[in-house]
């Protein structure tokens, strides 16, 4: 009986352990945390800088690891904090400031990658998401949940061509046909007298009409005078004929 009780108790504890173990396992997060956006802009012309910019919400859990060839280096905490303020930073100036001994060894013209990790120090994420990153300098990065990767090839500003000069402000707006605007203006100027002539014609029309009316009136008077004279002659001639008879 005692043995049966012990066996039953052990079985019960095992069942409870399985239940609590499942609850614990199911409580772990399997969805990745939000990943910030890391943008690397490379120099295009002589004297320009290669820059890096962080876009997102700053979080102390973020870790940034640069891979160049066989080297993996985690950015120092001071660089991480400066980067997460959101300003676009010069990579050359960051190296000179935080790695003065390596200021002349930036991996120009070599592909690099910047991996963003979430340092799961609280153990909130499933073990399948966590990894250990072997670093070239310092201890390895443990409990790292990888979020994103950005790749770029930095350019040596001293080996790039000079930036193009600013365009000459005196260059015509229409270099293909610089006379196009002049021709357009000439057309407008040529049409102006037409408008003036049209206005002048409409203003002088009443005068011409009045002159035409006066001319007709004068013509009518002349015709009437001729007819009246003819009637007088005829009447006088008729009277003479009557007297003779």
């Amino acid at each position: 009986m005692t043995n049966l009780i012990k066996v039953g108790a052990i079985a019960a504890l095992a069942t409870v352990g399985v239940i609590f173990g499942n609850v614990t396992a199911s409580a772990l997060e399997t969805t990745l945390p939000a990943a910030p956006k890391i943008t690397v802009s490379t120099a295009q012309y002589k004297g320009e800088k290669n820059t890096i910019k962080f876009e997102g919400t700053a979080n102390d859990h973020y870790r940034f690891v640069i891979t160049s060839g066989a080297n993996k280096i985690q950015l120092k905490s001071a660089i991480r904090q400066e980067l997460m303020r959101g300003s676009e930073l010069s990579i050359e100036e960051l190296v000179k400031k935080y790695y003065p001994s390596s200021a002349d060894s930036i991996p120009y013209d070599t592909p690099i990658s910047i991996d963003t990790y979430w340092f799961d120090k609280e153990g909130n994420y499933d073990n399948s998401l966590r990894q250990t990153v072997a670093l070239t300098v310092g201890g390895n990065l443990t409990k790292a949940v990888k979020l994103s990767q950005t790749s770029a090839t930095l350019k040596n500003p001293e080996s790039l061509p000079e930036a193009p000069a600013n365009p000459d402000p005196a260059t015509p707006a229409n270099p293909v046909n610089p006379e196009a605007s002049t021709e357009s203006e000439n057309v407008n100027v040529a049409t102006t007298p037409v408008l003036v002539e049209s206005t002048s014609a409409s203003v002088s029309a009443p005068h011409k009409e009045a002159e035409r009316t006066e001319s007709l009136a004068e013509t009518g008077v002349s015709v009437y005078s001729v007819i009246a004279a003819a009637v007088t002659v005829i009447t006088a001639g008729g009277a003479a004929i009557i007297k003779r008879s």
Side-chain angles (χ1 to χ4, degrees), residues 124-206:
N124 293 330
Y125 289 88
D126 191 83
N127 288 334
S128 62
L129 300 176
R130 296 161 65 177
Q131 58 180 290
T132 297
V133 182
L135 300 174
T136 306
V137 179
N140 294 336
L141 175 60
T142 61
K143 302 179 181 179
V145 178
K146 188 172 182 177
L147 302 180
S148 64
Q149 182 180 81
T150 300
S151 299
T153 300
L154 306 182
K155 296 295 181 180
N156 187 347
E158 298 306 316
S159 65
L160 296 173
E162 296 284 351
N166 293 330
D168 186 356
T171 302
N174 186 359
V176 177
N177 185 10
E179 297 180 356
S181 60
T182 305
E183 291 176 0
S184 175
E185 291 174 1
N186 289 340
V187 171
N188 291 336
V189 171
T191 57
T192 304
V194 175
L195 296 176
V196 174
E197 289 173 2
S198 173
T199 303
S200 129
S202 62
V203 171
S204 62

Side-chain angles (χ1 to χ4, degrees), residues 11 20 50 54 65 72 83-85 91-94 113 115 123 142 144 153-154 158 163 173 176 184 213 218 233 237:
F20 280 100
N50 298 278
F54 172 99
V65 176
K72 281 185 179 292
L83 179 62
M84 288 192 296
R85 292 191 186 103
I91 294 176
E92 285 81 3
E93 291 176 2
L94 286 175
S113 64
D115 297 312
T142 61
T153 300
L154 306 182
E158 298 306 316
V176 177
S184 175
T213 303
E218 292 173 357
V233 171

